[in-house]
Amino acid sequence: MRIAITGSTGLIGTALVRSLRADGHEVVRLVRREPRARGEVSWDPLRQTVDVSGLAGCTGVVHLAGAGVGDHRWTAAYKKEIRDSRVLGTAAIAEAVASLDTPPRVLISGSAIGIYGDTGDRLADEDTPPGHGFLAGVCQEWEEAAGAAVEAGVRTVFARTGLVVAREGGAWAKLFPLFRAGLGGRLGNGRQYWSFIALQDHVAALRHLLEAGELAGPVNLTAPHPVTNRQVTEVMGRVLHRPALLPAPAPALRLALGEMATDVLGSQRVVPRRLLDSGFSFACPDVESAVRAALTDTR
């Protein structure tokens, strides 16, 4: 296959590029600068420009680019950056794909389980309606921005990602040094659900979506067994052989994180019904196997 990827230098993009190339597939990397190497194509998500010639002949496009949700405090300016990087970038990619004489067979457009809002103890699958809050609103706009590709008849999949368990990047990576130092603990009351997925399963799921010709629309990329923050704390302490006794009280988190604390303390009990129904098999279906896989990943 010939696959074009945005966000190819991020946690998931880097792993996906490595996996595809290891199996002999050609990867086209969309970069926000002048191309410097073979296989690079320029684009500008905010100006909504794409060098469409570089997408010619692609079997699929995987769109992963977007400003990191947890990289900065949520000021008004950074919330705008979070939204614009996703909505404008997705619209640019979708319109570029739709403009091709022979478009790719599939567009996998990044999304997030944040679309469901706070689900409490209720299970959420792909049929659950959108929730409320900043991230839920962003995710809805994010997915709607791919309309040009959908209207052009391109099989479009919205990969609604949960918390990716990895040691070298993403939100979970910030937990490892805390727990290694014996400073880990539950967040708030610890009863909020975390829907996670091991990095290797996330990459495998994206590749599955590239090849599963019948899947379109939203697909949850989470492990089948969401767990509470309290259970995550217990597993991290046990696997790393460290005490996990220092809780972070909810008021302190709200003071430190501002509006972002609402999502940290919120509960999302999400299951990957459509992924499982399509025959996908998880290498790390539970949180302990996901944490252990992250610790042994030397790629």
Side-chain angles (χ1 to χ4, degrees), residues 227-260:
V227 291
T228 64
N229 171 255
R230 187 183 295 272
Q231 290 171 301
V232 169
T233 299
E234 293 170 354
V235 167
M236 291 288 286
R238 180 168 66 251
V239 171
L240 294 172
H241 307 291
R242 294 289 189 276
L245 305 173
L246 299 173
L253 285 170
R254 292 190 179 97
L255 182 64
L257 301 178
E259 185 181 350
M260 196 193 313

Side-chain angles (χ1 to χ4, degrees), residues 163-166 196-203 223 282 284 289-291 293-294:
L163 285 166
V164 179
V165 184
F196 66 92
I197 184 169
L199 177 59
Q200 68 188 75
D201 279 333
H202 196 291
V203 170
F282 286 85
C284 302
S289 62
V291 170

Side-chain angles (χ1 to χ4, degrees), residues 47-69:
R47 294 182 179 177
Q48 296 185 276
T49 60
V50 181
D51 180 358
V52 179
S53 64
L55 301 182
C58 283
T59 312
V61 176
V62 183
H63 173 46
L64 302 172
V69 170

